Amino acid sequence: MAFLRFMQFVKETRQFVKWFWRRCEPQIDLASILNKRTMKKLLLSILTLATVGASAQNVNIPDVSFKNYLLGQSSINTNNDSEIQVSEAQAFTGTINCTGSLISDMTGLEAFVNLTELYCGGNTLTSLDVSANTALELLNCGVIATLSSLDLSQNVNLTNLGIEYCGFSSIDLSANILLTELNIRNNQFSSIDLSANVNLEEITFDNNTLTSIDLSNNLGLTKVRGNQNQIEQLDLSLHSSLDYLFL
């Protein structure tokens, strides 16, 4: 629909140009021809800028699978056209769940600045940039063996993180102090620093190579699951809220 509106604009502009020159041509002398040519160039430039402007209003989404997913979401593609406008992306405050959608590139996600929940696991991503998604509260990008790093330094509102069955050996969670649930099972962690995550309530870290884990700052924990590691000793004597433990 946006494309059709733009084509209508081009058609009307061309009609105006033709009308303008038919009306003015009898009054044009030789000296004014140059001005006529200059005006034509100016109008052509205006048309070019209009084309660029129309394109700039759309989110660049090069991955066909990701774009098709977004286009199929009526809560995102609110005008039901063939593009996602920047205004549509910015207005969206809900959940994107594109789990297992054969997506290899999530370029375009940065336009969803008010996105609160993202499920993108089971795809073939090698990288994931959520630095612009500062309203994000839940992120699950599990079951992506090709994903091994993630910058969460801008995601200060994050409360739930799942990166299970990936290729992580480290992750910086120092900026994510609101985090309450963390799942890092089936990765390659030999250590992890959770000292800043004082609001953590549930943690799952099965099937890593941890020999120790310090949970002394995480006194609100109610669930700790971390079997199939190499942890021989874990002090949870001060964790009075703990009601589930499996090591």
Side-chain angles (χ1 to χ4, degrees):
M1 292 179 67
F3 177 74
L4 292 176
R5 288 196 297 269
F6 170 69
M7 292 305 296
Q8 181 64 27
F9 166 76
V10 171
K11 180 180 178 181
E12 292 174 356
T13 303
R14 286 175 176 171
Q15 290 173 343
F16 168 76
V17 172
K18 289 179 181 179
W19 172 84
F20 177 81
W21 289 120
R22 281 198 302 267
R23 184 179 180 87
C24 297
E25 194 168 11
Q27 306 173 30
I28 296 176
D29 56 21
L30 184 62
S32 67
I33 291 177
L34 290 175
N35 290 334
K36 177 179 178 179
R37 290 175 178 170
T38 301
M39 183 63 71
K40 282 185 175 180
K41 289 181 179 179
L42 178 60
L43 290 171
L44 180 60
S45 297
I46 292 172
L47 282 173
T48 302
L49 288 172
T51 303
V52 173
S55 175
Q57 293 173 9
N58 296 329
V59 180
N60 176 37
I61 311 169
D63 189 286
V64 174
S65 297
F66 186 36
K67 186 172 185 178
N68 286 340
Y69 165 81
L70 294 173
L71 290 176
Q73 307 302 306
S74 59
S75 57
I76 297 175
N77 186 18
T78 54
N79 62 3
N80 196 32
D81 66 356
S82 59
E83 298 289 343
I84 299 298
Q85 280 73 51
V86 171
S87 57
E88 290 176 317
Q90 292 176 342
F92 185 67
T93 60
T95 300
I96 287 180
N97 187 345
C98 55
T99 302
S101 299
L102 302 177
I103 297 169
S104 59
D105 181 0
M106 292 193 71
T107 297
L109 184 67
E110 67 278 1
F112 292 83
V113 293
N114 293 306
L115 179 70
T116 54
E117 296 187 356
L118 173 61
Y119 297 85
C120 59
N123 287 292
T124 57
L125 303 169
T126 55
S127 64
L128 178 62
D129 184 358
V130 291
S131 58
N133 311 105
T134 55
L136 207 60
E137 297 174 4
L138 182 151
L139 172 60
N140 188 293
C141 52
V143 199
I144 305 178
T146 50
L147 188 64
S148 59
S149 64
L150 197 57
D151 181 0
L152 299 174
S153 59
Q154 303 303 310
N155 307 101
V156 296
N157 293 304
L158 200 65
T159 61
N160 190 313
L161 174 64
I163 55 171
E164 67 276 12
Y165 293 91
C166 291
F168 287 86
S169 59
S170 64
I171 190 167
D172 184 356
L173 300 175
S174 59
N176 314 111
I177 60 174
L178 298 181
L179 201 65
T180 59
E181 296 184 35
L182 175 63
N183 188 344
I184 61 169
R185 69 183 303 178
N186 287 78
N187 277 279
Q188 302 167 22
F189 287 97
S190 58
S191 64
I192 186 168
D193 183 358
L194 301 173
S195 59
N197 311 111
V198 295
N199 293 297
L200 203 59
E201 297 175 2
E202 299 184 10
I203 181 171
T204 302
F205 53 93
D206 311 59
N207 294 291
N208 281 278
T209 59
L210 294 163
T211 56
S212 65
I213 185 168
D214 184 357
L215 300 177
S216 59
N217 280 11
N218 317 109
L219 298 179
L221 280 168
T222 60
K223 174 184 175 181
V224 175
R225 179 185 174 106
N227 66 312
Q228 297 189 33
N229 281 278
Q230 302 170 29
I231 298 173
E232 296 183 357
Q233 199 170 28
L234 181 61
D235 184 2
L236 298 173
S237 58
L238 298 178
H239 295 70
S240 57
S241 299
L242 192 65
D243 55 27
Y244 180 92
L245 175 64
F246 184 47
L247 293 174

